[in-house]
Amino acid sequence: MDASIGEATQYYDCSGVCLTDADSDSLCDEVDDCVLDSCGECGGNGSTCIADLFFSEYAEGSSNNKYFEVYNNSSVAADLSLYEYLNCSNECDDWEYSTNFCATFDDLDNDGSHDSGEACLSTPVLQPGDVWVLCHNWNGMSSDLNAECDQRVILYFNGDDAQGLRHTQSSTLLDVIGDVATSGSEWAVAGVVDATKDHTLVRKSSVASGNTDWAASAGTSASDSEWNVYDQDTWTFLGEHSYDPCADVVCTASSDCVASSCVGGSCVETDL
């Protein structure tokens, strides 16, 4: 503690200047000088408690049938007001559009779609193991499938547009589909050419977190990819996802004297 003013010295820079000086008195001496972030950290940017969110499903279907799904693999609920969905349309140098997650909104035209100019009234809280589904607002999917859509907005992707998921305050990128640098052409996934167009991509259950390295995430074969690739308009998996670290692990015993099984994603041998 800094006995002269009664606040922890960690709130000062190396020159002795208060880092959270709301009243411009150069001292960390009042409660309002310490602005808490979403994690409860003084002067922080929310980066110490970022949820483990990632894309669990992506569909670029026929006509306007497109959506993506976000999964919370954290052990605690995630306030989605702290995150945003990013899009880089066609050939671009950086993210061009961002979309906020919204649970209820002022539906001025009563079309069920969150349009530009319609105020968001409440933001969703995503529970552990649950998903949030964003669908294109003018899709032709059945009413049963549309019931899985938690939010309907205009989605700007056609298979050659990079998508991203970002923690807003800290600008921490959590996950991507596609690559900004090569937007403008479809990407291969799991060895399937142009898989981001006219296909549905489902994240493998063994994947525990997002991946900002698209080449590593897409992989070059069905075995090294983080995704399973399905035909266009495959919507079987929409609305749910699960994490199983052993889902893609194959264990082989080293001898006839032991048994091998997957525990927490790793193979463990036990004597017979």
Side-chain angles (χ1 to χ4, degrees):
M1 299 291 289
D2 185 338
S4 65
I5 54 177
E7 286 289 339
T9 56
Q10 70 190 61
Y11 302 144
Y12 293 81
D13 65 15
C14 296
S15 301
V17 176
C18 181
L19 297 173
T20 55
D21 187 18
D23 57 359
S24 303
D25 64 354
S26 300
L27 299 176
C28 290
D29 57 354
E30 298 178 9
V31 174
D32 64 354
D33 282 337
C34 186
V35 179
L36 299 179
D37 67 5
S38 56
C39 305
E41 298 285 339
C42 179
N45 63 2
S47 61
T48 61
C49 64
I50 294 176
D52 205 350
L53 303 176
F54 59 85
F55 292 117
S56 50
E57 190 165 341
Y58 159 98
E60 205 287 305
S62 58
S63 186
N64 288 318
N65 300 322
K66 59 187 73 178
Y67 62 83
F68 70 86
E69 180 184 88
V70 174
Y71 177 68
N72 180 12
N73 199 34
S74 305
S75 59
V76 296
D79 180 357
L80 293 189
S81 68
L82 306 176
Y83 303 86
E84 60 186 345
Y85 157 68
L86 305 171
N87 176 265
C88 170
S89 182
N90 298 319
E91 297 179 11
C92 52
D93 300 320
D94 201 353
W95 300 112
E96 293 180 297
Y97 309 104
S98 64
T99 300
N100 296 321
F101 296 97
C102 183
T104 60
F105 57 93
D106 189 8
D107 192 4
L108 299 176
D109 52 7
N110 296 311
D111 66 349
S113 174
H114 188 195
D115 304 317
S116 176
E118 295 180 335
C120 182
L121 303 178
S122 66
T123 52
V125 174
L126 189 60
Q127 298 300 317
D130 201 359
V131 296
W132 187 261
V133 181
L134 271 82
C135 301
H136 187 65
N137 56 358
W138 300 303
N139 70 70
M141 298 187 297
S142 69
S143 57
D144 289 345
L145 289 169
N146 266 288
E148 299 292 346
C149 300
D150 297 300
Q151 185 176 350
R152 291 171 58 200
V153 296
I154 298 176
L155 293 178
Y156 299 95
F157 65 80
N158 294 291
D160 60 352
D161 313 295
Q163 317 296 306
L165 185 62
R166 183 169 66 185
H167 180 258
T168 308
Q169 187 179 9
S170 66
S171 296
T172 301
L173 191 62
L174 305 181
D175 200 13
V176 294
I177 297 174
D179 174 38
V180 170
T182 56
S183 280
S185 60
E186 293 80 14
W187 294 277
V189 180
V192 178
V193 177
D194 297 342
T196 53
K197 181 177 178 62
D198 298 336
H199 289 89
T200 296
L201 308 181
V202 178
R203 212 67 172 264
K204 291 180 178 178
S205 296
S206 57
V207 175
S209 60
N211 192 346
T212 57
D213 183 342
W214 171 243
S217 176
T220 58
S221 66
S223 59
D224 68 9
S225 176
E226 294 184 357
W227 301 86
N228 291 318
V229 181
Y230 296 92
D231 291 338
Q232 184 184 63
D233 294 344
T234 298
W235 301 320
T236 308
F237 310 97
L238 176 63
E240 61 181 4
H241 187 74
S242 61
Y243 169 61
D244 179 3
C246 292
D248 300 302
V249 178
V250 178
C251 298
T252 304
S254 60
S255 74
D256 294 336
C257 300
V258 297
S260 183
S261 59
C262 179
V263 178
S266 300
C267 292
V268 177
E269 292 191 340
T270 54
D271 295 332
L272 293 175

